[in-house]
Amino acid sequence: MAIVNRGFVGRRDRQADRLPPGQYSTVDFPVLSAEPTPVLPLDKWRLTIQSAEHRAHSLDWAQFSGLPHQDITTDIHCVTRWSKFDTRWRGVSFDDLLASLPFEPGAFVMAHCYGGYTTNVPLADLVDGQGWLADTFDGEPLVPEHGGPVRLLVPHLYFWKSAKWVRRLRFMPADTPGFWEERGYHMYGDPWREQRYS
Ligand SMILES: Nc1nc2c(c(=O)[nH]1)N[C@H]1C(S)=C(S)[C@@H](COP(=O)(O)O)O[C@H]1N2
Ligand SMILES: [Mo]
């Protein structure tokens, strides 16, 4: 894994600006999973997007790979207090994903994962270049431990919102708690406001 040399002069100040309250910066990439890592062969992989009216739109791997992809460099922040600066991803933005949909999205999204994990995110936090479905990390296909083949990437919220092994995105008219949110994590999870637990 490449480590970006940020230079020494001014490094501490820049990092302090970028570190949300109560976080420390790390260079390694911890793995945090509530469930065993699923085995997902690409020829079996599907992503289904489900409207609030229960219409469904499914993509196989070739269709997903055919959507426009963007490079993203971003800081990520886990509620267990590690932050990692300048992580490099590639993936499909929600803006491009929504443009390909045959129905209107709903106001909230529940991400459902292979393995059963779920997490809720407002649609407003996924559009306008704020959310992606990432399939590449550091120039390599996203490894299973970190959510490959495809995970959610919503870097401005605590990283539990960035669901690994995404299988289904379900639009909902109202905000509904996911796996950790039902267990006391904050419904929204803004690291800058330290919205860890509710
Ligand atoms: N499917 C699934 N996605 C998940 C999790 C999980 O347990 N299962 N954990 C979340 C949490 S709490 C964090 S901090 C990040 C960890 O991602 P990483 O293992 O790639 O560091 O994934 C999030 N996405
Ligand atoms: Mo986390």
Side-chain angles (χ1 to χ4, degrees):
M1 195 184 304
I3 294 172
V4 177
N5 184 350
R6 299 171 49 77
F8 186 75
V9 177
R11 179 168 172 270
R12 200 192 298 166
D13 290 341
R14 267 208 311 284
Q15 291 200 346
D17 285 350
R18 296 167 69 183
L19 206 53
Q23 298 290 113
Y24 65 88
S25 140
T26 181
V27 289
D28 38 71
F29 194 174
V31 171
L32 282 109
S33 306
E35 68 274 44
T37 297
V39 178
L40 302 172
L42 293 183
D43 59 348
K44 301 263 168 52
W45 181 89
R46 296 286 183 281
L47 173 68
T48 300
I49 300 141
Q50 196 183 328
S51 78
E53 296 76 32
H54 304 291
R55 290 183 62 192
H57 177 70
S58 283
L59 298 146
D60 64 15
W61 182 252
Q63 290 166 322
F64 177 79
S65 301
L67 291 174
H69 278 59
Q70 297 176 346
D71 291 311
I72 308 115
T73 300
T74 187
D75 301 347
I76 55 178
H77 311 289
C78 176
V79 72
T80 62
R81 300 185 183 272
W82 58 267
S83 289
K84 185 171 167 62
F85 292 152
D86 294 320
T87 57
R88 291 171 55 242
W89 307 83
R90 190 169 171 77
V92 176
S93 73
F94 269 77
D95 302 301
D96 287 322
L97 182 74
L98 296 184
S100 76
L101 274 188
F103 47 71
E104 290 300 308
F108 296 92
V109 176
M110 186 71 81
H112 293 259
C113 303
Y114 289 93
Y117 184 88
T118 56
T119 190
N120 55 304
V121 186
L123 183 66
D125 285 89
L126 297 170
V127 296
D128 300 328
Q130 300 177 92
W132 294 267
L133 291 166
D135 59 16
T136 303
F137 180 78
D138 245 349
E140 303 287 342
L142 184 59
V143 296
E145 288 72 21
H146 286 300
V150 174
R151 79 179 297 164
L152 214 62
L153 177 64
V154 197
H156 70 287
L157 300 179
Y158 279 123
F159 210 39
W160 88 75
K161 298 287 187 181
S162 293
K164 306 197 279 190
W165 318 297
V166 179
R167 159 185 227 160
R168 184 158 59 100
L169 297 170
R170 180 167 58 88
F171 290 115
M172 312 179 289
D175 203 9
T176 310
F179 178 85
W180 282 124
E181 294 83 4
E182 277 189 333
R183 289 160 178 79
Y185 281 31
H186 198 276
M187 282 293 273
Y188 184 65
D190 179 352
W192 295 97
R193 288 185 278 166
E194 280 211 84
Q195 294 177 335
R196 300 176 189 273
Y197 312 104
S198 51

